[in-house]
Amino acid sequence: MSDSALTTLVVDDDFRVASVHEGFVEKVPGFLVVGKAHTAADAIEMAQRLQPDLILLDIHLPDGDGLEVARILLDNPRPPMVLIISAAADIAAVRTAVQLGVVHYLVKPFGFAALAERLSAVRAAHAKLTDWPADAGQEEIDGFFELLRPMPSDPDMPDIEHLAPTLQLVYKTIGSGSAGLSASDIAAQVGISRATAQRYLTQLEHIGAVKLQLRYGQTGRPEHRYSIRRN
Amino acid sequence: MSDSALTTLVVDDDFRVASVHEGFVEKVPGFLVVGKAHTAADAIEMAQRLQPDLILLDIHLPDGDGLEVARILLDNPRPPMVLIISAAADIAAVRTAVQLGVVHYLVKPFGFAALAERLSAVRAAHAKLTDWPADAGQEEIDGFFELLRPMPSDPDMPDIEHLAPTLQLVYKTIGSGSAGLSASDIAAQVGISRATAQRYLTQLEHIGAVKLQLRYGQTGRPEHRYSIRRN
DNA sequence: ATCGCGTGAGCGAAATGCGCAGAATCCCCT
DNA sequence: AGGGGATTCTGCGCATTTCGCTCACGCGAT
């Protein structure tokens, strides 16, 4: 296994975040940060000049899409390894990232431990490639593949895809509103009766998908306000 | 490269969807459907008994999670290849699927062409493993990796040419109407019973060809309205 | 003759809205 | 401090409408 550290370029539009990530990477044995970029243009220029082994690449850059930067950098005879960092955990970005051949995909927020784990896996994968045996077989393939697979995250939201259509609709309507919504609010937006909305809101609250808050301060029974439960 | 067909097990909770997928697979050269399962328990039992090369596996099964089935089946000295079929394109499921080592991940709706493309890639990957060169290098790795990374499905209208005649007729009738149509509407226009129309509409909705909206505002069970799904 | 498949009829269940009783709060008066 | 009235909202029973499923039938293939 190579003794030299893996040179790393950190790319993030936010200076502070880039510094935090630099600090993280520096703490992992076997890695050396050789530069930081804050725009797509700088990222491409510095990657070509510094030829780092690994690039931590934020998707959202002020002058372009991080995935487009990845595409450009990975279209190369000897491309760097790219580890995507993103707040936007949408399927399209993940698909594109995987299709592009990124080694890992980290969704914010993450801590030092999460990054360290993946950097270790990246280092192991890099080492495996460097010392590939001549009689490689299925085990080597599997071992390599395993190192590069993204890690599963905790399922935040309940899986409501296969629940009743009206329940899905009510849930999505709550999600589209920032403030807590009442049964009457939901009913008006969805186009169903207040009683039906109430029925489903109670159900969602019982399964823990939404949280309930009461509106006090007026005469009459307090209004139930519902909002998406975020963990 | 082996001349024998890749034996395939189709797993889907919906009998009709399973039949549709069986029809698709049978039309791709080099594949042979050896069984269909509709529950997690059946899938595991049939996979162990039939030892198929490939399993088309729906995530949502009545008695368990398809990904858990994949986990069980892939934890095996000589596992089958697993191709996930899912309506729930959430990142957690994708991550888990990739981590488990599935060969492809198809998100509904997809048509025959999309499945055929991936089955061809699966066959190519299988062939590449069978004839792995002794002096394999980065190119071989990349080539293999590319074949097995989940690809985004084409957002095309599902290919219904290979479906049952009445199903095609129902689908085309929906397409000819701009507004959502109910089962009764479809039945009247096609000249079939409401129950039959309902049967095929449910099937089309399950395979992702049409989308369902409910008509609210009146007492009684809301009317299901179907329209062509356009992306 | 038998079997399998597609279809229609009919029935029980699901899902909605209506309307009302009662719950829950606030405020005022004693 | 406590009771009662007013107000507002929730929860639920019931009627209505539609869906989903089972069973029977017809037809074509064997």
Side-chain angles (χ1 to χ4, degrees):
Chain A
M1 179 169 67
S2 176
D3 289 334
S4 61
L6 293 181
T7 54
T8 303
L9 175 66
V10 174
V11 183
D12 200 287
D13 62 328
D14 191 321
F15 281 73
R16 296 178 197 284
V17 172
S19 293
V20 170
H21 291 167
E22 177 188 17
F24 281 179
V25 173
E26 289 280 338
K27 283 183 169 54
V28 179
F31 285 85
L32 177 69
V33 176
V34 295
K36 292 204 298 289
H38 308 290
T39 66
D42 283 350
I44 294 172
E45 188 273 321
M46 292 178 77
Q48 285 167 347
R49 175 161 51 84
L50 298 171
Q51 295 287 308
D53 297 309
L54 171 72
I55 301 178
L56 265 65
L57 183 54
D58 189 10
I59 284 191
H60 290 91
L61 296 171
D63 59 336
D65 185 354
L67 287 176
E68 195 54 40
V69 172
R71 190 187 306 277
I72 292 170
L73 295 180
L74 289 166
D75 188 17
N76 194 319
R78 294 188 72 256
M81 291 179 286
V82 174
L83 190 156
I84 291 293
I85 293 176
S86 170
D90 62 300
I91 184 67
V94 172
R95 280 171 162 172
T96 304
V98 166
Q99 187 180 10
L100 289 175
V102 308
V103 296
H104 274 289
Y105 193 110
L106 269 177
V107 178
K108 295 171 181 173
F110 60 84
F112 171 72
L115 180 60
E117 183 187 342
R118 282 153 187 77
L119 291 183
S120 299
V122 162
R123 206 165 188 291
H126 187 266
K128 190 178 277 285
L129 272 188
T130 304
D131 298 330
W132 197 257
D135 58 343
Q138 183 68 42
E139 279 184 40
E140 282 74 17
I141 302 294
D142 291 344
F144 177 75
F145 202 44
E146 277 173 17
L147 290 170
L148 294 187
R149 286 173 188 147
M151 296 293 183
S153 66
D154 294 330
D156 288 335
M157 289 186 185
D159 178 13
I160 62 164
E161 291 297 326
H162 283 66
L163 297 176
T166 309
L167 186 63
Q168 289 184 43
L169 204 45
V170 169
Y171 184 76
K172 285 168 182 169
T173 304
I174 300 170
S176 66
S178 57
L181 296 172
S182 71
S184 299
D185 295 332
I186 296 291
Q189 292 185 42
V190 174
I192 56 180
S193 76
R194 194 274 314 165
T196 298
Q198 200 79 60
R199 188 178 292 133
Y200 284 110
L201 288 165
T202 300
Q203 194 175 336
L204 285 166
E205 200 267 328
H206 280 177
I207 68 174
V210 301
K211 66 179 180 182
L212 167 65
Q213 286 172 313
L214 301 189
R215 182 195 66 171
Y216 295 109
Q218 290 175 357
T219 62
R221 194 165 169 165
E223 197 173 63
H224 290 194
R225 293 287 178 82
Y226 299 86
S227 51
I228 295 295
R229 183 182 291 277
R230 302 186 194 280
N231 296 327
Chain B
M1 178 169 71
S2 174
D3 290 336
S4 62
L6 293 181
T7 54
T8 304
L9 175 66
V10 175
V11 183
D12 200 287
D13 62 327
D14 193 312
F15 279 65
R16 297 178 196 285
V17 174
S19 292
V20 171
H21 292 164
E22 175 188 20
F24 281 2
V25 175
E26 288 283 5
K27 286 179 168 55
V28 179
F31 286 87
L32 177 70
V33 174
V34 295
K36 296 204 293 287
H38 308 288
T39 66
D42 283 351
I44 294 171
E45 188 275 321
M46 291 179 79
Q48 287 167 348
R49 174 161 53 84
L50 299 170
Q51 295 289 309
D53 298 308
L54 172 71
I55 301 178
L56 265 65
L57 183 54
D58 189 9
I59 284 193
H60 287 89
L61 297 170
D63 57 342
D65 181 6
L67 286 176
E68 195 53 39
V69 172
R71 189 187 307 277
I72 293 169
L73 296 180
L74 290 164
D75 186 19
N76 193 319
R78 296 188 71 256
M81 292 179 285
V82 175
L83 190 155
I84 292 291
I85 292 174
S86 170
D90 61 299
I91 189 171
V94 171
R95 278 171 163 175
T96 304
V98 170
Q99 184 186 16
L100 290 174
V102 308
V103 296
H104 275 286
Y105 193 109
L106 269 177
V107 178
K108 295 171 180 172
F110 60 85
F112 173 72
L115 180 60
E117 180 188 342
R118 278 146 193 83
L119 291 185
S120 298
V122 162
R123 208 162 191 291
H126 188 265
K128 188 179 278 283
L129 270 188
T130 304
D131 297 327
W132 196 258
D135 57 342
Q138 185 66 44
E139 279 185 39
E140 283 73 25
I141 300 292
D142 291 345
F144 177 75
F145 201 46
E146 278 172 16
L147 287 171
L148 293 190
R149 281 293 186 102
M151 290 285 192
S153 59
D154 296 330
D156 285 336
M157 192 182 294
D159 183 1
I160 62 164
E161 293 300 320
H162 304 76
L163 302 178
T166 310
L167 188 61
Q168 289 185 42
L169 199 48
V170 169
Y171 184 75
K172 284 167 182 169
T173 304
I174 300 170
S176 66
S178 58
L181 295 172
S182 70
S184 300
D185 295 334
I186 296 290
Q189 293 185 42
V190 173
I192 55 180
S193 77
R194 192 274 311 170
T196 298
Q198 200 79 59
R199 185 181 292 126
Y200 284 111
L201 287 167
T202 300
Q203 193 174 336
L204 286 166
E205 200 267 328
H206 279 184
I207 68 174
V210 301
K211 68 177 179 181
L212 168 66
Q213 284 172 313
L214 302 190
R215 180 193 66 172
Y216 298 111
Q218 291 175 356
T219 61
R221 192 165 176 168
E223 197 172 64
H224 290 193
R225 294 286 178 81
Y226 300 86
S227 52
I228 297 295
R229 184 183 290 276
R230 305 185 194 282
N231 294 325

